[in-house]
Amino acid sequence: MIIDIHTHTFPEHMAAKVIDKLSRLSRSIPFTDGTLDGLRQSMDDADIDRSIVLPVATNAHQVEHINDSSARICETQSDVISFGCMHPAFTNYVDELSRIVRLGLKGIKIHPVYQETDIDDIKFLRIFDRAAELGLIVVTHAGLDIGFPGVVRCSLTMIRRVVDRIGNFKLIAAHMGGWRNWDEALEMLADTSVMIDTAFSTGMIVPRGDAQWLESDLKMLDADQFMKFVKAFGADRIIFGTDSPWSDQATSKKFIEQLPINEDCRKKILGDNAARLLNL
């Protein structure tokens, strides 16, 4: 089973507007239209069995509505699973995290940059503590963000501080532990229990035609650099993700398939690790 643990979709009535805004912000092109149907078409093209949608609440008022919508996706779709969300300013986080469990959602997504709060802030720490009690998976954007140059809300030092404060819990640091902070991720997280996903971290960024990029800035991790993570973290802690629609699922999958690793490690990264984590 091939599982993409890091994708994004938006309601049909707003997908086009959101995708256009984010494309301009990131100066990169999307590979789907941002809808559930668009994701499913991408999955079919890439021979991916299941995708996990990771919603982000950009303000506290959205949390309950997004979690309700996520539950509906899980109830109505067989090949797409949605996580819930949480926002650091949501005051009734204890009850809402319990409700997330009752809704049958496996975890939550946070994005410190979009939520304008450092990941080691007490507002996040109390959420993580409660999520750990409930056994919820927490996926966080980690490292820099392509749309917010120079903004640091989830550095590797901050992530390490979270782990030291909360202890072992089901934490996935997206983008190979920290986007564009990959050397620090190898140094700071390899000896922890933190898992990492491969989303928007391999190969090349595909820029918009109207964007100005240096060729060197388009490069992300190549196979040799990726293998340093396999050696440091082990294949058991690396989970396939794409950040669709911002990476092409087929291209991202092919990158993993062509790595110089044995079939057992390849299966772990492409699906077995996610299946175990999600109890599929």
Side-chain angles (χ1 to χ4, degrees), residues 139-279:
V139 182
T140 181
H141 175 92
L144 299 175
D145 188 282
I146 190 173
F148 295 84
V151 177
V152 180
R153 290 292 195 178
C154 189
S155 70
L156 274 299
T157 299
M158 293 175 184
I159 297 174
R160 185 64 192 236
R161 193 173 294 132
V162 167
V163 174
D164 290 343
R165 288 285 300 274
I166 304 299
N168 293 339
F169 67 111
K170 296 176 183 177
L171 176 63
I172 300 175
H175 314 297
M176 295 301 285
W179 196 73
R180 296 291 198 202
N181 297 154
W182 292 308
D183 288 341
E184 294 96 321
L186 286 167
E187 178 183 351
M188 300 288 289
L189 298 183
D191 65 340
T192 71
S193 63
V194 175
M195 295 164 282
I196 59 178
D197 75 27
T198 67
F200 199 72
S201 297
T202 60
M204 301 282 289
I205 296 169
V206 181
R208 288 171 57 100
D210 58 355
Q212 306 303 315
W213 285 85
L214 294 175
E215 185 69 20
S216 58
D217 289 339
L218 296 175
K219 296 178 181 178
M220 295 189 282
L221 295 174
D222 61 26
D224 289 340
Q225 293 168 317
F226 192 96
M227 289 303 297
K228 293 180 181 179
F229 282 86
V230 176
K231 181 178 180 181
F233 284 79
D236 291 328
R237 289 170 55 201
I238 302 174
I239 305 176
F240 176 61
T242 65
D243 211 9
S244 176
W246 305 111
S247 289
D248 176 56
Q249 287 185 308
T251 301
S252 299
K253 177 186 168 189
K254 186 177 181 180
F255 180 93
I256 304 299
E257 290 174 334
Q258 294 181 338
L259 290 172
I261 54 179
N262 63 43
E263 188 61 21
D264 182 57
C265 289
R266 187 171 293 107
K267 285 182 177 180
K268 286 180 179 179
I269 294 172
L270 283 175
D272 288 356
N273 292 338
R276 182 183 66 251
L277 188 63
L278 296 166
N279 294 318

Side-chain angles (χ1 to χ4, degrees), residues 42-228:
S42 175
M43 292 168 63
D44 289 343
D45 293 342
D47 290 325
I48 289 174
D49 298 292
R50 289 193 180 178
S51 288
I52 315 305
V53 173
L54 302 178
V56 176
T58 55
N59 64 67
H61 301 294
Q62 297 173 331
V63 169
E64 292 173 304
H65 172 69
I66 290 176
N67 288 334
D68 289 338
S69 298
S70 297
R72 284 194 292 273
I73 290 176
C74 293
E75 290 169 357
T76 58
Q77 309 298 319
S78 60
D79 53 355
V80 176
I81 298 170
S82 183
F83 274 22
C85 70
M86 184 49 63
H87 192 282
F90 190 84
T91 56
N92 196 20
Y93 68 94
V94 172
D95 289 343
E96 184 63 12
L97 288 171
S98 295
R99 192 174 78 92
I100 285 172
V101 173
R102 293 196 301 274
L103 289 171
L105 305 178
K106 305 281 188 175
I108 58 172
K109 170 69 187 296
I110 63 163
H111 199 307
V113 176
Y114 280 90
Q115 296 172 331
E116 299 182 333
T117 306
D118 292 348
I119 194 172
D120 58 350
D121 187 284
I122 186 61
K123 294 187 181 78
F124 271 131
L125 290 175
R126 62 187 186 178
I127 289 169
F128 301 151
D129 191 51
R130 179 60 175 164
E133 289 179 356
L134 296 169
L136 285 168
I137 303 163
V138 177
V139 182
T140 181
H141 175 92
L144 299 175
D145 188 282
I146 190 173
F148 295 84
V151 177
V152 180
R153 290 292 195 178
C154 189
S155 70
L156 274 299
T157 299
M158 293 175 184
I159 297 174
R160 185 64 192 236
R161 193 173 294 132
V162 167
V163 174
D164 290 343
R165 288 285 300 274
I166 304 299
N168 293 339
F169 67 111
K170 296 176 183 177
L171 176 63
I172 300 175
H175 314 297
M176 295 301 285
W179 196 73
R180 296 291 198 202
N181 297 154
W182 292 308
D183 288 341
E184 294 96 321
L186 286 167
E187 178 183 351
M188 300 288 289
L189 298 183
D191 65 340
T192 71
S193 63
V194 175
M195 295 164 282
I196 59 178
D197 75 27
T198 67
F200 199 72
S201 297
T202 60
M204 301 282 289
I205 296 169
V206 181
R208 288 171 57 100
D210 58 355
Q212 306 303 315
W213 285 85
L214 294 175
E215 185 69 20
S216 58
D217 289 339
L218 296 175
K219 296 178 181 178
M220 295 189 282
L221 295 174
D222 61 26
D224 289 340
Q225 293 168 317
F226 192 96
M227 289 303 297
K228 293 180 181 179

